[in-house]
Amino acid sequence: MWRKRRKTCGHYDCKKRIRDDEFLCPEHYQGWIDGLIDRCPNCGRFKDVMYRLCLDCYVGRQVAPWEPSVPIPEPKQRYRTEYSEAWIDGYLRPDRFFIYILEFDDDELCVGHTTDIRKRLAEYEKPGLTRGRSPELQYLQIVATERAAELREAELKRLIESNPQQIRLMINDFRGHMGGLGLKQD
Ligand SMILES: [Zn+2]
Ligand SMILES: [Zn+2]
């Protein structure tokens, strides 16, 4: 008897069942639409964009190459997120995570998280990466787990889309606190 194999989500770390016409579970599909996940260049499965490889490939596990069984449309990739070596530590040694918002010369906001905010900001200063647009740190929050950081990052990214005024208020509030502490950006 012919039996169809059950399909599972194309994210490397997800075993959720999906329909035949899907390639990701609804949660990961939203992440992909939001530009938070893309494909691992090694195995082809989906991974978080801030890492170069999926965790399996990163630690050298053998994984079968994955091919989608349905065509994958172009992602929107609205958010500027590049993978960073500074994030790799967070894979293996969760400790303390910074969620940040940067603003560029052309008013574009960029949300990300990192375990090493100094290193991350230094990376943004590198010529080429931000195409000469100087990034300015506008908001910073510290959380204890990577999961919390991911959720907060996704939340802020959605907020930038849906309610930019609230983001501006949040940033002003944050600047107010920093000013109150006698801290000023130069
Ligand atoms: Zn999934
Ligand atoms: Zn991989």
Side-chain angles (χ1 to χ4, degrees), residues 12 40-45 47 53-58 63:
Y12 83 90
C40 169
N42 196 46
C43 68
R45 296 175 303 171
K47 57 158 183 68
L53 297 170
C54 76
L55 184 54
D56 289 332
C57 293
Y58 177 68
V63 289

Side-chain angles (χ1 to χ4, degrees), residues 6-7 12 15-16 29 40 50 62 69 72 83 88 95 111 120 129 157 163 167 178 184:
R6 297 275 206 136
K7 279 180 66 174
Y12 83 90
K15 295 277 168 285
K16 288 207 187 92
Y29 184 76
C40 169
M50 65 278 262
Q62 290 295 329
S69 52
I72 297 179
Y83 92 85
I88 283 175
D95 174 32
V111 182
R120 186 66 191 135
L129 183 59
K157 284 177 169 172
N163 196 347
I167 289 280
M178 290 297 109
K184 264 221 167 92

Side-chain angles (χ1 to χ4, degrees), residues 140-172:
L140 197 61
Q141 185 183 353
I142 301 173
V143 294
T145 66
E146 178 153 47
R147 186 67 190 140
E150 284 169 354
L151 290 172
R152 181 62 174 153
E153 181 183 327
E155 184 183 22
L156 290 177
K157 284 177 169 172
R158 287 201 189 102
L159 204 55
I160 285 175
E161 296 273 305
S162 64
N163 196 347
Q165 292 93 334
Q166 196 182 330
I167 289 280
R168 291 290 165 189
L169 285 175
M170 226 180 65
I171 287 174
N172 284 340

Side-chain angles (χ1 to χ4, degrees), residues 37-185:
I37 66 175
D38 62 3
R39 293 180 71 184
C40 169
N42 196 46
C43 68
R45 296 175 303 171
F46 286 82
K47 57 158 183 68
D48 299 344
V49 288
M50 65 278 262
Y51 305 116
R52 191 171 64 83
L53 297 170
C54 76
L55 184 54
D56 289 332
C57 293
Y58 177 68
V59 299
R61 258 176 230 135
Q62 290 295 329
V63 289
W66 180 87
E67 277 301 328
S69 52
V70 292
I72 297 179
E74 279 297 308
K76 287 187 188 162
Q77 296 289 0
R78 289 181 186 213
Y79 306 112
R80 175 190 310 280
T81 315
E82 309 90 8
Y83 92 85
S84 158
E85 293 297 334
W87 277 315
I88 283 175
D89 279 355
Y91 249 164
L92 309 168
R93 186 178 48 74
D95 174 32
R96 182 175 64 148
F97 299 85
F98 301 87
I99 300 123
Y100 58 83
I101 299 179
L102 300 178
E103 183 170 18
F104 292 92
D105 291 348
D106 57 6
D107 294 340
E108 189 178 352
L109 295 173
C110 159
V111 182
H113 77 268
T114 177
T115 55
D116 189 335
I117 188 69
R118 279 176 196 281
K119 201 165 155 188
R120 186 66 191 135
L121 291 174
E123 286 177 344
Y124 272 103
E125 298 293 344
K126 276 183 202 154
L129 183 59
T130 56
R131 296 193 286 272
R133 308 176 308 157
S134 24
E136 219 184 290
L137 183 65
Q138 296 287 28
Y139 178 84
L140 197 61
Q141 185 183 353
I142 301 173
V143 294
T145 66
E146 178 153 47
R147 186 67 190 140
E150 284 169 354
L151 290 172
R152 181 62 174 153
E153 181 183 327
E155 184 183 22
L156 290 177
K157 284 177 169 172
R158 287 201 189 102
L159 204 55
I160 285 175
E161 296 273 305
S162 64
N163 196 347
Q165 292 93 334
Q166 196 182 330
I167 289 280
R168 291 290 165 189
L169 285 175
M170 226 180 65
I171 287 174
N172 284 340
D173 209 35
F174 178 76
R175 293 172 78 98
H177 284 310
M178 290 297 109
L181 291 171
L183 298 172
K184 264 221 167 92
Q185 265 192 311

